[in-house]
């Protein structure tokens, strides 16, 4: 790498904090590196912090689908535009059946998602029972329930919750063009509550919504500058859902998606980077490049929340071809 590229790519360190502070400019510099240089750097960082051939697998279940009050422009579950049928909160028994099936297929974490702006206290009675039951199967637990009120994160922690997923979704400069019913600051507030309750943070975003490269860099800088960075970072490629304002968004250049994974890996070396939504539309070769760029986790199972995901058999075959093992 040239000296200039190294300088551009360097984190701007603040003398006050020991954690490096990443600037959008520094991350844009990484995005602009020749593809081979970027991949080399990402793979180098990846190997210093992780087993290069191990990929963790989480299975998702929508425990409360559709009818959400929020207007997130990508989401099929928004009451404003989404086409997902509104359903009631699942029973604990149904969740246990799905979790057992996920474990039998090889998942190590079970993530339960609800189409809420945030849970009511009475909703948490059932969700905490779900967490306890899934944990009793020997799976790690994760939930994504929207924004939390005071005391709710503590209840989830007490139930045995390992991870809370709550994404920043996009750059602060672009956020208002995609979501109007809540602000990104409100999401930071929930992330603080989660961390303070001692729950691990799963936080990432979506690319391919019409944002610029600089805005992708800005999202990743926000994530990397969290102190500490999220334990797990889902990078979703927009799945254009019928009826949503983003259903006709122009697809992202696949190499730009790989670059996004690589920049996440370089700037959040210790985090698990999850190749998340959008895999069903990706070729095996593109997914292999994402693993080379430092992705070491996937959503596993034929459904995300409402959208499709590759069949477990296709993933097994891909893992075998690439010599990847389950983490
Ligand atoms: N309602 C909660 C919330 O918004 O935090 C939890 C569920 S929400 C569906 C979880 C995440 O899924 C969103 O933050 C977004 O990152 C991702 N997501 C939703 N629809 C998507 C789509 N069409 N393509 C890619 N990612 C999507
Ligand atoms: C995340 O970052 N991606 C997952 C999970 N966290 C909850 C959800 C992806 C949803 C894709 C669209 C759908 O299934 O409706
Ligand atoms: Fe609701 Fe979450 Fe979908 Fe936004 S992303 S509309 S908050 S379910």
């Amino acid at each position: 790498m040239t000296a200039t590229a190294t300088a551009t790519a360097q984190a701007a360190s603040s003398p006050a904090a020991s954690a490096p502070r990443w600037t959008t400019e520094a991350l844009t510099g990484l995005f602009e590196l020749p593809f081979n240089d970027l991949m080399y750097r990402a793979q180098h960082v990846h190997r210093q912090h992780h087993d290069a051939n191990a990929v963790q697998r989480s299975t998702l279940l929508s425990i409360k689908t559709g009818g959400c009050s929020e207007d997130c422009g990508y989401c099929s579950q928004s009451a404003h535009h989404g086409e997902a049928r509104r359903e009631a909160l699942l029973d604990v028994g149904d969740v246990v059946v799905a979790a057992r099936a996920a474990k039998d297929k090889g998942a190590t974490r079970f993530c339960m998602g609800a189409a809420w702006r945030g849970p009511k206290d009475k909703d948490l009675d059932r969700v905490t029972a779900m967490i306890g039951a899934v944990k009793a199967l020997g799976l790690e637990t994760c939930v994504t329930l929207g924004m939390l009120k005071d005391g709710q994160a503590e209840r989830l922690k007490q139930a045995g919750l390992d991870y809370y997923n709550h994404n920043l979704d996009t750059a602060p400069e672009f956020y208002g063009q995609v979501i109007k019913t809540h602000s990104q600051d409100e999401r930071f507030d929930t992330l603080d509550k989660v961390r303070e309750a001692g729950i691990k943070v799963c936080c990432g975003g979506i690319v391919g919504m019409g944002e610029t490269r600089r805005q992708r860099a800005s999202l990743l800088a926000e994530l990397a500058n969290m102190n500490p960075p999220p334990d797990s970072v889902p990078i979703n490629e927009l799945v254009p859902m019928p009826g949503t304002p983003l259903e006709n968004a122009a697809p992202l250049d696949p190499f730009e998606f790989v670059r996004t994974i690589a920049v996440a890996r370089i700037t959040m070396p210790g985090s698990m980077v999850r190749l998340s939504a959008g895999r069903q539309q990706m070729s095996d070769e593109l997914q292999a490049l994402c693993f080379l760029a430092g992705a070491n986790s996937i959503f596993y199972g034929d459904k995300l929340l409402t959208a499709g995901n590759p069949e477990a058999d296709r993933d097994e075959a891909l893992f075998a071809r690439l010599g990847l093992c389950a983490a």
Side-chain angles (χ1 to χ4, degrees), residues 60 76-77 144 165 167 205 234 236 239 241 276-277 299 304-307:
L60 271 171
S76 66
Q77 305 200 67
T144 180
N165 168 239
N167 292 338
N236 295 278
V239 181
M241 301 301 283
S276 301
F299 285 121
L304 294 165
L305 293 173
T306 67

Side-chain angles (χ1 to χ4, degrees), residues 68-72 74-78 114-117 169 182 187:
C68 183
S69 64
E70 303 308 283
D71 69 350
C72 311
Y74 44 80
C75 187
S76 66
Q77 305 200 67
S78 164
W116 288 323
R117 174 182 167 89
D169 285 321
H182 60 262
R187 294 188 75 89

Side-chain angles (χ1 to χ4, degrees), residues 119 121 124 128 131 143 145 148-162 164 189-199:
D121 283 334
L124 283 195
T128 51
I131 293 167
V143 296
L145 312 173
L148 297 178
K149 294 186 262 303
D150 285 346
Q152 293 187 325
E154 287 72 14
R155 285 188 66 192
L156 294 168
K157 173 69 184 173
Q158 245 177 1
L161 185 67
D162 297 303
Y164 195 88
D189 182 55
T190 289
L191 291 166
D192 287 344
K193 288 184 166 81
V194 167
R195 183 84 77 190
E196 278 163 24
I199 300 166

